[in-house]
């Protein structure tokens, strides 16, 4: 089983991810992890924290001479903005955060809650995902995450070749596939900042080159759609997850939803084994298993909760009404969310990959991948 946990507080000394069940023998490039960490810190609309932090991953265990050992891999991202010991508690909980509920549940300070609830922790979720992506890429599986809607404005683009669309995304300060729309979106973010308000949006992840049969229909908690939804929903501020057509599927008749099956023997060497689909409304998953088509996941991110023009709250000491506390904050982190969602989806796909093909060593995985495809082509 490939899995991970994280530890660390927003303004604590460090953030840690422990990745367990990673196969032995894969060359690991930590610079590729740093690229994702830098992307997570970027995107137009971020606050002052990102100017302080310059995230870099340190591998503490599990990699030797540039290759995975097959033992647990501990990843660290040190907080430059370490100041937890000097920080005071908040007395006016911020709506949209776990401040009030956490202080009551744990019968303690708000600071205890916000330090761990903060999305700063996603730095190491991204690090774990960026590690897992190297396993996917070894098997020719590619992922791409991007923004498709921001502040209610559609910035989506028709699907095209993944590598070309990655170039487009990397030109965009919003991380959309339509960099020509950046100026319009940046103005929207600037105007919202001036008004003391915040913005949300929708991000999409596409995964291509998937084999048949990652995940399984046999048990509810092993279905890959469910596992992806859990991983994505567990990202701070994500309030909705769709696979393929998602909610739109509920509004159409069946013939406008399900993807006809066509066989083309000339494409037998493709991951889809020649079973092509003129549409991909299922988003690459049927009955909790990958069906050889690209995986399409969308996530809705709510606007940042901490407002420069704070909403009403209550002082927990005096019980009198007062404006919510303000802590340094982003105005819009939808671009960053696209990086986080891309990497947490990648991790779940990698976990399903090792379940199908084993996780002792890359050599064994390669052999099992080959045998499975030989057998499947004859099915
Ligand atoms: C990349 C990213 C950055 C975020 N930055 C902030 C921020 O600066 N200020 C803030 O109030 N919330 C921020 N959030 C959202 C909060 O972490 C989140 O809303 C809060 O922990 C409550 O959790 P929930 O929204 O999942 O219920 C951010 C979320 C993400 C994904």
């Amino acid at each position: 089983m490939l899995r991970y946990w994280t530890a660390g507080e927003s303004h604590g000394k460090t953030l840690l991810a422990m990745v367990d069940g990673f196969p032995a023998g894969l060359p690991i490039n930590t610079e590729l992890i740093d690229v994702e960490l830098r992307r997570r810190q970027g995107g137009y609309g971020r606050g002052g924290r990102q100017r302080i932090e310059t995230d870099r991953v340190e591998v503490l265990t599990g990699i030797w001479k540039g290759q995975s050992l097959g033992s647990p891999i501990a990843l660290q991202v040190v907080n430059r903005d370490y100041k937890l010991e000097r920080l005071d508690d908040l007395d006016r909980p911020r709506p949209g955060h776990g401040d009030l509920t956490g202080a009551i549940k744990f019968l303690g300070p708000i600071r205890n809650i916000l330090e761990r609830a903060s999305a700063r922790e996603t730095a190491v979720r991204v690090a774990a995902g960026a590690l897992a992506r190297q396993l996917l890429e070894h098997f020719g599986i590619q992922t791409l995450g991007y923004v498709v809607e921001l502040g209610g404005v559609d910035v989506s683009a028709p699907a095209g070749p993944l590598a070309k669309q990655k170039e487009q995304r990397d030109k965009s300060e919003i991380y959309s596939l339509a960099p020509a729309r950046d100026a319009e979106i940046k103005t929207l973010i600037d105007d919202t900042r001036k008004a003391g308000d915040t913005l949300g949006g929708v991000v999409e992840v596409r995964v291509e080159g998937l084999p048949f049969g990652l995940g399984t229909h046999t048990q509810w908690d092993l279905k890959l759609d469910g596992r992806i939804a859990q991983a994505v929903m567990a990202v701070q501020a994500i309030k909705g997850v769709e696979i393929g057509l998602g909610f739109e599927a509920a509004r159409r008749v069946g013939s406008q939803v399900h993807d006809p099956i066509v066989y083309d023997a000339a494409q037998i060497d493709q991951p889809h084994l020649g079973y092509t689909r003129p549409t991909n409304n299922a988003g690459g998953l049927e009955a909790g298993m990958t069906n050889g088509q690209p995986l399409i996941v969308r996530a809705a991110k709510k606007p940042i909760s901490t407002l420069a023009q704070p909403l009403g709250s209550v002082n927990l000491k005096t019980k009198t009404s007062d404006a919510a506390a303000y802590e340094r904050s982003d105005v819009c982190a939808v671009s960053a969310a696209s990086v986080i969602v891309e990497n947490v989806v990648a991790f779940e796909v990698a976990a399903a990959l090792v379940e199908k093909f084993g996780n002792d060593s890359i050599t064994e995985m390669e052999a099992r991948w080959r045998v499975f495809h030989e057998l499947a082509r004859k099915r």
Side-chain angles (χ1 to χ4, degrees), residues 43 52 95 111 178 196 209 216 222 247 262 282 293 304 346 353:
I52 299 171
R111 174 73 52 198
T216 174
L222 300 179
F247 274 63
V262 178
Q293 301 300 309
I304 296 287
L353 186 79

Side-chain angles (χ1 to χ4, degrees), residues 96-97 117 119 236-237 239 301-302 304-306 329-330 333 336 340:
H97 278 283
Q236 285 82 342
K239 296 296 147 193
K301 183 182 179 298
K302 74 181 187 184
I304 296 287
S305 313
T306 308
S329 207
D330 299 324
I340 301 162

